[in-house]
Amino acid sequence: MAPSVSSRAGAPGASEAGPRGAGVDGCGRGITYLRIAVTDKCNFRCVYCMPAEGVPPRSHEEMLSAEEIARFVRIAAREGIASVRLTGGEPLVSHRIVPLIRELREIPGIEDISLTTNGALLPRMAGALKDAGLDRVNISLDTLDPVQFGAITRLGRVEQALAGIDAALSHGFHPVKVNCVVVRRLQQDVFGMARLSLERPVHVRFIEYMPIGSDEERGFRAADAGEGPAGELRPEAWDASDTVPSRELRERIDAEAAAAGMGPLEAAAEGGAPAGAGPARYWRFPDAAGTVGFISAMSNHFCASCNRMRLTADGAIRPCLFSDAEYRVFDALRAGDDDAVARIWRDAVSHKPREHEVIKGTERFMSQIGG
């Protein structure tokens, strides 16, 4: 199924009212943060992100080039974008990632460049990424249990992610954040994850499970939503009951900390949140080197303060993660028409929704959106 693209995408005169000012959306929110999917490919196959066989292959001609991405960022920077996060898929599988970061570092107005990764390639790439100008990294790690990690990622080993965390720290990236998506029926050891912040200066963030990617698009059948073979994860069976509210998670961690003879999580002091804190709310164990954060995308959504837009690897601007509305900018970039790119950007910004709706899925996989 081809992804749906807004009928407004790139149409002349599409935004009759126009934006309320460069960098401000129709609801008065300042738009300063851009997430870019540099590829939809990945060396893992995380069950909530893409199917076991990966996403359908796309030719290079169908995807934005590094030069086109950099030109888009130059235009977006003039419209108020100051922070850029590079995502995928897995951005480190792209051979162009280092030169792209180097080029983005030279763009006036871009103050912060970050990257989200599964960490597997960081041990051999961290030095080059740092030298190119990357400021910080987020590493995805949903469990410390080796068997569960293999089941979630299908292709990965937990030792790879842990080595990636160590590589990021040793090369001076700051802050280093560890992202954990929590799904109730997986029964992850969230206390064990939180303990990573005790001795390492990392910021462990628990993210509420979000219904991204529809059952139909994933190729799942609702009739098969029952028990599968032993050890097989079945995300098509996950539903709203699998979202664990952040407050419940914090209470669970505190209870296990008490059982282990530790003090409870304490709200991080003012100024104690890491750079680029975004929507997370931060806590810390007494005397811990790092923090524990909670991103409540479902139980207490943060739409009123959302400052981000997304660019997909195939050249569509996506104003909201939870909406399938997209504004195709690929053709304008390929044609080198910067004025058209700016018009489409402003149109997309002006139509950013006030808040996301309650959804059961999206037409694209998370790997195709860019997280």
Side-chain angles (χ1 to χ4, degrees), residues 131-164:
D131 291 344
L134 184 67
D135 293 305
R136 51 196 179 88
V137 295
N138 288 13
I139 299 171
S140 300
L141 176 60
D142 297 321
T143 180
L144 293 174
D145 179 86
V147 175
Q148 190 176 57
F149 187 92
I152 291 173
T153 65
R154 293 192 180 106
L155 299 177
R157 293 178 294 107
V158 69
E159 295 84 2
Q160 294 173 295
L162 293 173

Side-chain angles (χ1 to χ4, degrees), residues 12-275:
S15 179
E16 296 180 3
R20 295 175 57 184
V24 178
D25 72 4
C27 300
R29 295 167 296 198
I31 305 302
T32 59
Y33 179 23
L34 176 65
R35 298 177 70 103
I36 301 171
V38 298
T39 180
D40 59 3
K41 297 180 175 62
C42 188
N43 49 350
F44 287 2
R45 296 288 185 273
C46 294
V47 293
Y48 54 76
C49 190
M50 64 169 60
E53 67 275 13
V55 295
R58 309 283 293 274
S59 69
H60 290 299
E61 289 71 27
E62 296 177 277
M63 311 297 275
L64 293 177
S65 68
E67 293 76 17
E68 288 164 340
I69 291 174
R71 191 164 78 249
F72 182 88
V73 174
R74 288 191 191 93
I75 295 168
R78 294 196 291 268
E79 300 291 328
I81 291 297
S83 298
V84 173
R85 174 169 296 279
L86 303 174
T87 70
E90 170 51 52
L92 298 189
V93 303
S94 173
H95 67 277
R96 60 193 182 174
I97 189 65
V98 171
L100 174 59
I101 291 170
R102 189 175 296 117
E103 191 163 0
L104 296 181
R105 188 79 278 171
E106 299 299 319
I107 296 177
I110 297 302
E111 301 169 358
D112 180 70
I113 304 173
S114 55
L115 179 144
T116 296
T117 174
N118 58 39
L121 298 176
L122 270 179
R124 68 179 177 85
M125 296 185 66
L129 294 167
K130 186 69 174 177
D131 291 344
L134 184 67
D135 293 305
R136 51 196 179 88
V137 295
N138 288 13
I139 299 171
S140 300
L141 176 60
D142 297 321
T143 180
L144 293 174
D145 179 86
V147 175
Q148 190 176 57
F149 187 92
I152 291 173
T153 65
R154 293 192 180 106
L155 299 177
R157 293 178 294 107
V158 69
E159 295 84 2
Q160 294 173 295
L162 293 173
I165 293 172
D166 290 339
L169 292 172
S170 65
H171 282 85
F173 288 106
H174 180 75
V176 174
K177 300 175 184 177
V178 177
N179 292 343
C180 176
V181 176
V182 181
V183 181
R184 187 180 299 279
R185 73 184 63 190
L186 293 186
Q187 298 181 336
Q188 293 136 291
D189 179 9
V190 293
F191 176 57
M193 289 291 303
R195 286 174 64 98
L196 288 176
S197 69
L198 288 175
E199 297 181 359
R200 287 184 172 103
V202 297
H203 306 277
V204 181
R205 290 120 55 83
F206 294 103
I207 304 171
E208 294 176 350
Y209 164 67
M210 297 174 283
I212 300 297
S214 70
D215 292 351
E216 180 182 1
E217 183 71 8
R218 285 175 172 171
F220 295 146
R221 294 177 296 169
D224 293 336
E227 293 298 325
E232 181 184 356
L233 298 184
R234 301 184 65 79
E236 73 274 24
W238 299 350
D239 55 32
S241 66
D242 283 298
T243 296
V244 185
S246 295
R247 181 174 180 176
E248 178 183 334
L249 270 179
R250 183 162 53 83
E251 291 172 350
R252 186 196 306 177
I253 292 170
D254 281 349
E256 295 194 42
M262 295 171 49
L265 290 170
E266 303 170 346
E270 186 175 350

